[in-house]
């Protein structure tokens, strides 16, 4: 009789903890996970015990652990939430029982109820729409900033204003300072390095107002290109700062021929 009673208690306990459900909050307000938890006790309790009391302890402890594991998980990424929850539940947890020590481990399967799945779908649609809007806005802003990063473009835009006084345009220093600010704003990380380097070089050369200074800097750059075994680029850079030949020289050469 005692053996049957012990077997009945064990069977009843296993039935109550082997499969039970839990509703867990996600990081998105109003969206919940539905969890199916499978628990195991090792070793199983011995001696007289109340299966309902132990099952309540097990279910409560595992629900608390599962809730903490997914509280910060985004339901958009259900697999990540599944992994985080499973990792916490498979760790053995001590369950204090009278006159004995036992541990509980569990596996879990997370899913979303129909209404929560629909909410996630609506959330994804809204996120994608906002991302598209943000991308277009950023592209327009970057294009405008790139366009106005030159003093001449700023002056042309100023002249387009209905109330612009053509006889009193902004000064060159004012236009250059504003263009420099536009060039100095942080660039998008995805922008090619070449474009970012061009802005740096432009600002660097602008620090030397005299043509002789600019010519010397370009010659130094050309020397670096030759050191990098790029003589063609060096020649093109030097050609930018070479003074234009005096027209009379070409005429004299033709006469001499």
């Amino acid at each position: 009789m005692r053996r049957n009673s012990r077997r009945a208690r064990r069977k009843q306990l296993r039935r109550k903890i082997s499969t039970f459900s839990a509703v867990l909050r996600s990081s998105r307000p109003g969206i919940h996970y539905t969890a199916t938890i499978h628990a195991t006790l090792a070793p199983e309790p011995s001696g007289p015990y109340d299966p309902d009391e132990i099952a309540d302890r097990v279910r409560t402890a595992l629900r608390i652990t599962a809730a903490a594991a997914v509280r910060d998980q985004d339901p958009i990424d259900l697999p990540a939430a599944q992994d985080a929850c499973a990792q916490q539940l498979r760790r053995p947890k001590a369950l204090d029982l009278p006159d004995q020590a036992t541990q509980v481990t569990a596996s879990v399967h997370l899913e979303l109820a129909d209404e929560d799945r629909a909410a996630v779908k609506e959330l994804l649609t809204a996120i994608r729409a906002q991302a598209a809007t943000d991308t277009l806005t950023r592209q327009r802003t970057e294009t405008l900033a790139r366009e106005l990063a030159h003093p001449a473009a700023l002056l042309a835009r100023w002249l387009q204003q209905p109330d612009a006084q053509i006889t009193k345009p902004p000064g060159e220093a004012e236009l250059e300072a504003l263009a420099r600010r536009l060039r100095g704003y942080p660039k998008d990380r995805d922008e090619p390095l070449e474009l970012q380097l061009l802005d740096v070089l432009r600002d660097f050369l602008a620090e030397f107002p005299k043509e002789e200074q600019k010519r010397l800097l370009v010659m130094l750059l050309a020397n670096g290109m030759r050191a990098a075994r790029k003589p063609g680029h060096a020649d093109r850079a030097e050609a930018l700062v070479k003074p234009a030949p005096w027209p009379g020289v070409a005429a004299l050469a033709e006469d001499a021929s």
Side-chain angles (χ1 to χ4, degrees), residues 129-150:
Q130 185 62 47
T133 300
D134 292 345
T135 299
L136 291 175
T137 301
R138 185 175 64 253
Q139 289 177 348
R140 284 194 292 265
T141 302
E142 292 174 354
T143 300
L144 181 61
R146 191 177 296 112
E147 174 190 348
L148 300 182
H150 192 282

Side-chain angles (χ1 to χ4, degrees), residues 1-9:
M1 186 69 181
R2 179 185 298 176
R3 181 178 302 172
N4 293 336
S5 177
R6 184 184 302 135
R7 185 181 300 112
R9 288 197 300 268

Side-chain angles (χ1 to χ4, degrees), residues 9 12-13 16 45 47-56 97:
R9 288 197 300 268
Q12 182 179 358
L13 177 59
K16 289 179 176 294
Y49 60 85
D50 184 351
D52 290 331
E53 180 182 354
I54 295 180
D56 288 343
L97 298 176

